[in-house]
Amino acid sequence: MPGTSDRERARDPAEGRRRRSAARRGAALPVVHFHRPAERPFTASQRGSTTILIGGLSPRHDKLVEAAIQAMGCRCQALPNVTMESYTAGREFGNNGLCNPTYFTVGNLVKFLQDREAEGMSKKAIVDTYVFLTAGSCGTCRFGMYESQYRLALENAGFHGFRIILFGTDDGIDQSSGEAAGLDLSLDFFLGLITAFDLADVLNQYTYRLRPYEVVPGSVDEVTSRVVAHLHELVRNRDRFELEDHWTRLAVGTRLEGAVRYIAKILHLTRSDQFTGAMREARDAYDQLEFDPFRVRPVVKVMGEFWAQTTEGPGNFHIHRFLEQEGAEVYVDRSLFTRLSYMLFMHREKTRDRRGLRQDEGRLAHYLRYYRKMGLLGLADRLLHRENRRLIEALGGTLHEMLDQSELE
């Protein structure tokens, strides 16, 4: 069958009959290797017509990550929170025997696309104008297999060729193509994303800290919604440092341009009062509410599966609201910033374990490279803690600081 892929031949009934017939005759069977299907890339020329879909975290995280991607000139939309209809769609179109988070998250994307089709969009238009950005990792656990589950459910639902952009925690984003990538993975993008994570983590934890003691039910949620809307605008339109607009333009065109641009952007973010000022405004808004701090509340921490402890709604059986209704104060971690700190710690440990294992380099060059890498990883971790601490202090200083990974070890 000329022009047919190995995968299509392997699934063709006629091909299956030929292979079984050959096996009965004792003839050698052709080897059919599996190859990952080639996927249409998301390119820079498609930014104006293609919307990046995201989802899977708390509503506050999703909203601010949406703003960080929009700040890079891309169209981005956070998926609505999961529902029982999401779960039903996941069960219908997904694989058998999956976990609860997989059914909800996979089904939520399928349900969103089905709603667009019900509004009048064709499947081809949906496939052409939407892409989905999701996290992934290595390994055979379900987190490492999420991408394949999304693809299978989308294909079963009739959205063949829908594009999935995988954000790997180990190897970044795969957008390889001959054209400029649709998602510009510049330093500005990652600084905006980290800022969104930081703001959402702190605000999320602060909301849970206050809510059990509010005198007027719903008042904390109402203020939080307004704060998130304000932060969304700030993140989307955040002040970014450009080398050409500063005296550091003297470095443009020199060998130092890359390093100066990199360092200057980070220093600009760490010295900026844009987001700490917004947090002080948020603190003043919360101060207008009435609280009863003398209520006795046991503190309950939700631990275990990452998605179930982060999401809110039927995906975890409304566990946070249930515990609050039972009289508890729910403790939620700064999940994403703690995860970033943990990843930096893992890289430091891996680098330390390989110290002295030199390959094709001299002893001095090896140790210079080792100490440089360890220093940069340690500096990045200290900057994460510093920026997180700045937001906490601006919000009133009532939250605990992030724990040190070495201490946890």
Side-chain angles (χ1 to χ4, degrees):
M1 292 181 288
T4 306
S5 68
D6 290 343
R7 185 185 184 197
E8 290 170 333
R9 283 199 298 272
R11 297 174 60 179
D12 182 58
E15 178 69 16
R17 288 192 294 272
R18 283 191 290 271
R19 290 171 63 84
R20 289 192 294 272
S21 176
R24 285 193 296 270
R25 297 194 309 270
L29 296 176
V31 177
V32 180
H33 294 288
F34 172 80
H35 295 280
R36 174 175 169 171
E39 185 174 85
R40 290 186 303 119
F42 170 46
T43 62
S45 61
Q46 299 169 348
R47 288 177 189 166
S49 59
T50 304
T51 300
I52 300 173
L53 301 175
I54 59 169
L57 299 172
S58 78
R60 288 160 287 283
H61 286 86
D62 287 342
K63 196 65 178 175
L64 295 185
V65 171
E66 173 191 273
I69 297 177
Q70 289 176 351
M72 301 308 298
C74 296
R75 297 175 60 178
C76 182
Q77 181 179 353
L79 292 174
N81 203 19
V82 298
T83 63
M84 288 306 298
E85 287 76 16
S86 306
Y87 176 79
T88 302
R91 288 294 301 270
E92 179 179 358
F93 299 107
N95 224 329
N96 293 325
L98 297 180
C99 63
N100 193 57
T102 307
Y103 283 133
F104 272 102
T105 53
V106 171
N108 200 37
L109 174 60
V110 172
K111 181 68 168 56
F112 177 84
L113 300 183
Q114 288 178 328
D115 290 344
R116 303 290 78 74
E117 186 180 15
E119 293 171 358
M121 289 186 69
S122 67
K123 280 189 168 67
K124 184 181 185 306
I126 292 172
V127 170
D128 289 341
T129 57
Y130 287 103
V131 299
F132 184 63
L133 175 64
T134 186
S137 183
C138 63
T140 55
C141 69
R142 63 175 177 269
F143 190 38
M145 305 303 292
Y146 261 32
E147 178 191 12
S148 63
Q149 300 304 328
Y150 277 110
R151 295 184 190 280
L152 176 64
L154 289 165
E155 186 171 331
N156 289 341
F159 299 100
H160 181 72
F162 190 90
R163 289 166 291 177
I164 304 289
I165 303 177
L166 191 65
F167 189 95
T169 58
D170 302 298
D171 51 6
I173 297 181
D174 182 12
Q175 303 185 99
S176 54
S177 72
E179 300 182 55
L183 199 55
D184 182 15
L185 303 185
S186 63
L187 179 60
D188 282 323
F189 169 75
F190 286 107
L191 290 179
L193 199 61
I194 290 173
T195 299
F197 288 163
D198 195 8
L199 291 166
D201 271 354
V202 171
L203 187 62
N204 197 50
Q205 193 175 48
Y206 194 65
T207 298
Y208 278 98
R209 185 72 177 274
L210 295 181
R211 200 159 53 201
Y213 306 98
E214 63 185 5
V215 173
V216 180
S219 58
V220 170
D221 286 338
E222 192 274 330
V223 171
T224 299
S225 297
R226 287 194 277 113
V227 172
V228 169
H230 179 54
L231 291 176
H232 184 279
E233 290 299 313
L234 285 182
V235 173
R236 188 175 62 181
N237 303 303
R238 71 183 184 89
D239 180 26
R240 288 185 293 201
F241 181 88
E242 297 299 338
L243 204 64
E244 293 77 7
D245 298 333
H246 195 256
W247 66 266
T248 49
R249 62 181 177 275
L250 297 175
V252 175
T254 69
R255 295 176 58 186
L256 298 176
E257 179 180 351
V260 172
R261 188 183 300 275
Y262 191 92
I263 295 172
K265 284 181 178 292
I266 294 177
L267 288 177
H268 175 74
L269 178 64
T270 58
R271 295 175 60 186
S272 173
D273 191 48
Q274 185 176 18
F275 297 109
T276 51
M279 281 303 196
R280 284 192 289 270
E281 293 176 8
R283 178 197 61 198
D284 294 339
Y286 286 114
D287 282 345
Q288 303 303 313
L289 304 180
E290 187 178 359
F291 296 96
D292 180 6
F294 296 103
R295 294 174 180 173
V296 178
R297 293 283 188 265
V299 178
V300 179
K301 180 174 175 58
V302 179
M303 298 181 64
E305 206 279 332
F306 178 84
W307 184 81
Q309 67 171 308
T310 305
T311 189
E312 298 175 3
N316 60 8
F317 305 100
H318 302 275
I319 189 171
H320 302 96
R321 297 285 182 170
F322 167 76
L323 290 170
E324 288 180 352
Q325 290 170 4
E326 294 298 309
E329 175 191 331
V330 179
Y331 181 88
V332 296
D333 197 8
R334 289 186 286 279
S335 51
L336 294 184
F337 244 54
T338 301
R339 173 69 180 175
L340 291 176
S341 181
Y342 173 65
M343 290 169 60
L344 290 172
F345 175 78
M346 286 197 301
H347 282 295
R348 290 205 308 272
E349 292 302 294
K350 181 180 179 180
T351 302
R352 185 178 288 112
D353 290 342
R354 297 186 62 83
R355 181 177 56 181
L357 302 179
R358 305 187 305 277
Q359 293 182 354
D360 301 326
E361 63 179 346
R363 183 181 180 88
L364 178 60
H366 168 78
Y367 278 99
L368 287 175
R369 184 168 60 85
Y370 166 77
Y371 285 114
R372 177 178 177 272
K373 186 173 183 180
M374 289 293 289
L376 289 175
L377 289 171
L379 177 61
D381 188 57
R382 286 193 291 274
L383 286 175
L384 284 182
H385 282 255
R386 177 186 181 273
E387 290 305 294
N388 192 254
R389 187 166 54 249
R390 287 179 70 202
L391 293 185
I392 291 174
E393 292 172 353
L395 202 53
T398 59
L399 299 178
H400 295 294
E401 293 186 12
M402 286 172 54
L403 290 175
D404 182 79
Q405 294 293 327
S406 298
E407 182 179 349
L408 290 175
E409 182 195 31

